[in-house]
Amino acid sequence: MQLFTIFGNPVSHSKSPLMHNLSFKGLEYDGCYTRYRLEDGTQLRSKFFDLDIIGANITVPHKEEAFKACDELDEFAQKVGAVNTIIKKEGKLYGYNTDAPGFLKAIAEFKEAKEVLFLGAGGTAQSTSVILRDAGYEVTILNRSAGRLERYEKEGFKTYTFENFKATENYDLIVNMTSAGLEDESLPCPIEILDIVIPKATACVDVIYGKETPFLKFAKTHKKPCKDGSDMLLYQGVIAFEHFSNQQFSFNEIKEHMQKAFTL
Ligand code: NDP
């Protein structure tokens, strides 16, 4: 039997073991997926070998350490500096980022969307902004503080803080890429800014899943279509499973089993 795990801290809340084990069972694949709370991310590589696992997902706060732990990186992971999926092949660790393609697929239903406003500039925004731009979207980043914006500016994104934001453009999608609302009731940016950008938007998207955030509640008061982070989570998991199972199954075959985790 092949063993897999998710490394993170905290990790007890993660849906990934359920998602992957349902797919292993449904597809009759001889695999088992567990969870591992890792305090020190620099230990990731040695733990990976000690546990004798074949593959792993990596969640907060170790995606950058996971990037450093790999021997080989796929082109996209190399570009964004964050890894959430690792496979061991012939003693080498291969790293991938499936969060960003998962998000890209999750917003594909908004077919006419082109201009996207990201609220937040953390690690998730970093990889997703790059994949969206590569796919032809125009991405603008609005963040609470200026520090994290430097990297985006260097990469040619339009960036604003709350203080210097100019709402002159129309954004089709407004995306909460922050952790605001995850464990509190805060909005990702001042309500005055949301009051300007949301009425002109086609839809509002949150990367947080499993609860209705204050951001999505507010978007609903403007009668906007809303989408939470569940599909992103599902799709990043399906793409990770494609790697785990060495591309033996189609996206839809895996999805059919994995999505049951959201109804249990
Ligand atoms: P980071 O810690 O890297 O970044 C956090 C960002 O949120 C920063 O831009 C920070 O701003 C901003 N922020 C935090 N709190 C507030 C607040 N109260 N008001 C305004 N801005 C705030 O986080 P990640 O990028 O790793 O994660 C972001 C979110 O994405 C999390 O909620 C996480 O759960 C979710 N996620 C969902 C996934 C899915 O599959 N659905 C996958 C991965 C992540 P500042 O720079 O000013 O500190």
Side-chain angles (χ1 to χ4, degrees):
M1 177 181 279
Q2 295 184 342
L3 289 180
F4 300 83
T5 198
I6 178 159
F7 289 112
N9 188 18
V11 79
S12 56
H13 66 288
S14 174
K15 252 190 187 322
S16 293
L18 182 60
M19 288 161 54
H20 286 275
N21 285 326
L22 282 167
S23 299
F24 287 140
K25 189 164 187 294
L27 295 164
E28 298 180 3
Y29 189 96
D30 198 13
C32 181
Y33 190 113
T34 181
R35 62 183 92 220
Y36 192 97
R37 191 170 71 86
L38 183 69
E39 283 181 13
D40 178 1
T42 63
Q43 299 294 309
L44 197 143
R45 187 179 166 91
S46 58
K47 283 285 168 219
F48 199 107
F49 287 105
D50 290 350
L51 294 170
D52 200 19
I53 52 178
I54 292 289
N57 286 125
I58 298 88
T59 187
V60 176
H62 300 315
K63 292 181 192 179
E64 287 177 11
E65 284 297 338
F67 171 84
K68 293 183 200 157
C70 292
D71 300 297
E72 304 283 344
L73 293 156
D74 90 330
E75 201 183 327
F76 182 72
Q78 177 82 57
K79 197 163 157 183
V80 296
V83 158
N84 78 323
T85 302
I86 298 181
I87 315 290
K88 185 174 71 183
K89 280 185 216 158
E90 290 161 6
K92 277 186 170 182
L93 300 188
Y94 289 75
Y96 305 88
N97 182 304
T98 73
D99 285 329
F103 181 75
L104 182 66
K105 195 161 174 65
I107 62 161
E109 67 190 70
F110 305 112
K111 291 193 173 56
E112 305 300 319
K114 187 162 172 23
E115 296 276 346
V116 181
L117 179 65
F118 272 15
L119 311 174
T124 309
Q126 196 183 306
S127 59
T128 49
S129 58
V130 170
I131 207 163
L132 258 61
R133 184 162 69 180
D134 288 353
Y137 292 89
E138 292 284 336
V139 184
T140 300
I141 319 281
L142 172 63
N143 197 47
R144 176 174 65 180
S145 54
R148 290 195 211 236
L149 292 174
E150 279 174 27
R151 177 178 181 144
Y152 294 86
E153 278 160 29
K154 281 192 194 129
E155 289 176 2
F157 288 98
K158 257 188 247 169
T159 66
Y160 297 102
T161 59
F162 299 163
E163 286 70 36
N164 67 11
F165 182 65
K166 293 184 193 64
T168 48
E169 288 174 43
N170 291 355
Y171 301 101
D172 304 314
L173 294 184
I174 316 295
V175 185
N176 178 23
M177 280 283 169
T178 75
S179 39
L182 184 63
E183 281 169 348
D184 57 29
E185 286 304 303
S186 62
L187 286 167
C189 70
I191 203 160
E192 295 75 19
I193 294 182
L194 295 180
D195 264 331
I196 297 170
V197 293
I198 291 181
K200 297 188 271 185
T202 314
C204 293
V205 178
D206 208 311
V207 288
I208 295 172
Y209 56 88
K211 68 175 279 195
E212 189 173 53
T213 59
F215 170 67
L216 289 188
K217 276 187 199 146
F218 185 75
K220 279 188 182 166
T221 67
H222 283 281
K223 306 215 171 354
K224 293 294 166 183
C226 288
K227 184 175 179 74
D228 79 355
S230 304
D231 277 352
M232 176 185 180
L233 178 69
L234 173 63
Y235 297 153
Q236 66 74 30
V238 173
I239 300 165
F241 195 99
E242 288 178 330
H243 291 298
F244 291 161
S245 58
N246 205 11
Q247 319 291 333
Q248 276 181 56
F249 306 101
S250 71
F251 185 94
N252 285 336
E253 278 175 310
I254 301 165
K255 181 182 162 197
E256 185 193 330
H257 299 287
M258 198 171 271
Q259 67 190 3
K260 290 178 194 149
F262 294 83
T263 56
L264 294 173

